[in-house]
Amino acid sequence: MENRKKVAFYTLGCKLNFSETSTIARNFEDEGFDRVDFEEVADMYVINTCSVTENADKQFKQVVKKAMKLNNKAFVAAIGCYAQLKPEELANVDGVDLVLGATEKFKITDYINDLSKNDFGEVHSCEIAEADFYVGSYSIGDRTRAFLKVQDGCDYKCTYCTIPLARGISRSDELENVLKNAKDISAQNIKEIVLTGVNIGDYGKGEFGNKKHEHTFLELVQALDTVEGIERLRISSIEPNLLKNETIEFVSKSRTFVPHFHIPLQSGSNEILKLMKRRYQREIYTERVNKIREVMPDACIGVDVIVGFPGETDEHFLETYHFLNDMNISYLHVFTYSERDNTEAAGMEGVVPANVRAKRSKMLRSLSVKKRRAFYESQIGTNRTVLFEGENKEGYIHGFTENYVRVKTPWNPELVNSLHDINLTKIDEDGSVRMAFLKVEV
């Protein structure tokens, strides 16, 4: 019997990339490859790239180096967002044999022949306008949760963002296919599904290759809530203008959707939001948070925010800081603005010095620690359900409650991938929360 080829994958960036890597990996397995860990010697290494931060570019080169160290004869392919935006640049990185753009990545096995190294990186990258069809995917990374892609691309023109250039127009999976994928996932004893996409609140657009909405995000959520066998559904990042009150109301009464929202703000200054070409003002954001708190007082609310955008003065930054400080939110994801080629913001005046960006970022990260601590403190003494994960970290097993409180208890392998009713007792010195089981565990 001939030796089966080994392939390893490395994913940079977001949950959407993880779901797509998973789907691409399953295609390789169907083609007779064995998937191995990236730390192992393989015949081929596939790197799914990200274009959101400068750091991702540097990371790519490090990952290629790592692959070459493991096997300098291995075939290396770069796929994903950065591969679409800067294919030639990636093709010139020492060791890279193949670069595939937004549409080609899903047909990667069609582009590989005998896996012999190329003298130069070979590029197959479509015009992004051609990225108008939808490829569904989901990831099963650990056994506890899966990322289910429901939408791709974006029609928004935020001035700092390269995603529309990297992923094309907004388009959605067919509702029937999303439900089928959700059933496939639940059949594998996975307890939690996280919905993911580039702009998931835009779900329904392009479901049948046109711009009209066949279904809405609310209809998607309602349909998924009826799928048997899924214990938990979590909505990943959703734009404030697309998170409707009806959806918030539905989640509050839903069987499976958990009280956890991640809503990008980007700035607490209306002036900066306008420069960013965001599609809302801060008042809408306040309304959404208030609505969530009204129907789900214990919900976890996460916020994305960008510091150091061109034109952001100290006054603008303090406006953002005070806006977030006064709001009843649970944690922040802080991004330091970095210039990206072919974006409107890259040519804007009022460039903020790097040291000022770093200082602002540090202030908001400190605020995030404070907010998370306050949120955890508000949950002490409450009864919750925890889903335990699979890793033994220094003698403890960790998990998340439905409202995203990270808990820990002494390691017990029998708890892995199981749901338990617990009481939150106290905050540990590492910041996670200690717990007591509500029923005597057998």
Side-chain angles (χ1 to χ4, degrees), residues 138 140 177 179-190:
Y138 59 88
I140 300 174
N177 197 46
L179 297 176
K180 179 196 162 293
N181 284 342
K183 285 172 187 147
D184 288 351
I185 292 166
S186 69
Q188 298 183 51
N189 193 28
I190 284 167

Side-chain angles (χ1 to χ4, degrees), residues 21-294:
T21 299
S22 242
T23 296
I24 291 164
R26 289 194 289 277
N27 294 344
F28 270 93
E29 285 163 9
D30 294 344
E31 295 281 340
F33 282 77
D34 287 329
R35 183 177 182 177
V36 298
D37 196 75
F38 202 86
E39 311 296 321
E40 295 178 43
V41 174
D43 301 289
M44 179 171 182
Y45 293 93
V46 179
I47 305 164
N48 196 352
T49 63
C50 165
S51 68
V52 172
T53 64
E54 270 178 321
N55 211 16
D57 314 351
K58 292 177 193 135
Q59 278 178 299
F60 173 74
K61 288 176 180 157
Q62 286 162 358
V63 176
V64 174
K65 231 179 225 167
K66 192 172 165 184
M68 290 287 86
K69 221 177 217 171
L70 289 162
N71 178 9
N72 64 4
K73 292 187 177 66
F75 189 87
V76 176
I79 61 173
C81 291
Y82 197 44
Q84 175 67 37
L85 289 176
K86 301 275 182 82
E88 306 298 337
E89 208 169 287
L90 293 195
N92 287 332
V93 172
D94 208 24
V96 173
D97 299 290
L98 180 66
V99 179
L100 297 181
T103 62
E104 292 80 7
K105 65 189 172 193
F106 294 107
K107 305 185 288 249
I108 180 171
T109 51
D110 297 348
Y111 290 97
I112 53 180
N113 299 318
D114 58 355
L115 296 191
S116 55
K117 302 256 338 139
N118 292 328
D119 294 337
F120 304 100
E122 192 183 309
V123 173
H124 297 278
S125 159
C126 68
E127 286 301 316
I128 198 60
E130 292 166 29
D132 58 358
F133 61 90
Y134 185 87
V135 178
S137 56
Y138 59 88
S139 82
I140 300 174
D142 55 32
R143 289 182 307 159
T144 317
R145 70 173 58 85
F147 299 118
L148 171 59
K149 173 181 164 184
V150 299
Q151 183 274 343
D152 200 350
C154 188
D155 291 341
Y156 286 12
K157 300 282 187 284
C158 301
T159 54
Y160 51 82
C161 186
T162 55
I163 296 295
L165 300 171
R167 284 185 168 270
I169 58 170
S170 178
R171 54 210 188 273
S172 309
D173 204 350
E174 292 181 18
L175 188 59
E176 277 174 28
N177 197 46
V178 174
L179 297 176
K180 179 196 162 293
N181 284 342
K183 285 172 187 147
D184 288 351
I185 292 166
S186 69
Q188 298 183 51
N189 193 28
I190 284 167
K191 309 282 192 228
E192 181 173 309
I193 293 177
V194 183
L195 302 186
T196 182
V198 174
N199 186 357
I200 63 171
D202 208 22
Y203 177 81
K205 188 189 279 184
E207 191 184 345
F208 296 96
N210 54 27
K211 281 295 168 204
K212 76 176 176 42
H213 271 62
E214 198 66 31
H215 294 99
T216 62
F217 182 69
L218 176 61
E219 287 169 347
L220 169 74
V221 167
Q222 288 168 332
L224 280 166
D225 200 43
T226 64
V227 175
E228 291 298 317
I230 299 172
E231 304 273 356
R232 273 186 184 181
L233 282 156
R234 204 177 286 277
I235 297 168
S236 68
S237 187
I238 182 165
E239 295 281 303
N241 52 309
L242 295 173
L243 176 59
K244 304 293 188 219
N245 284 344
E246 296 83 1
T247 305
I248 297 169
E249 293 269 3
F250 181 80
V251 168
S252 74
K253 302 182 183 79
S254 140
R255 181 179 68 90
T256 49
F257 277 89
V258 294
H260 175 202
F261 294 88
H262 192 92
I263 315 167
L265 169 68
Q266 310 311 15
S267 175
S269 157
N270 282 340
E271 271 182 60
I272 297 297
L273 288 173
K274 202 172 169 187
L275 285 173
M276 290 177 165
K277 289 195 178 164
R278 301 292 286 155
R279 297 197 177 192
Y280 54 86
Q281 294 198 310
R282 58 186 252 164
E283 289 74 14
I284 287 203
Y285 203 91
T286 308
E287 276 174 34
R288 294 298 179 265
V289 171
N290 291 346
K291 178 66 184 175
I292 293 167
R293 287 279 166 245
E294 179 197 319

Side-chain angles (χ1 to χ4, degrees), residues 307-324:
V307 297
F309 188 80
E312 184 186 65
T313 61
D314 285 347
E315 289 73 20
H316 290 132
F317 171 70
L318 288 172
E319 216 182 326
T320 297
Y321 186 92
H322 293 309
F323 182 68
L324 290 165

Side-chain angles (χ1 to χ4, degrees), residues 365-401:
R365 285 177 209 276
S366 300
L367 179 62
S368 182
V369 170
K370 194 177 100 176
K371 286 286 185 185
R372 194 185 296 268
R373 176 92 193 183
F375 174 60
Y376 281 10
E377 280 172 357
S378 76
Q379 296 303 298
I380 299 302
T382 62
N383 294 342
R384 296 281 165 228
T385 306
V386 65
L387 173 58
F388 286 109
E389 297 181 345
E391 207 180 335
N392 180 346
K393 284 186 183 165
E394 296 170 3
Y396 288 93
I397 187 169
H398 291 81
F400 285 94
T401 62

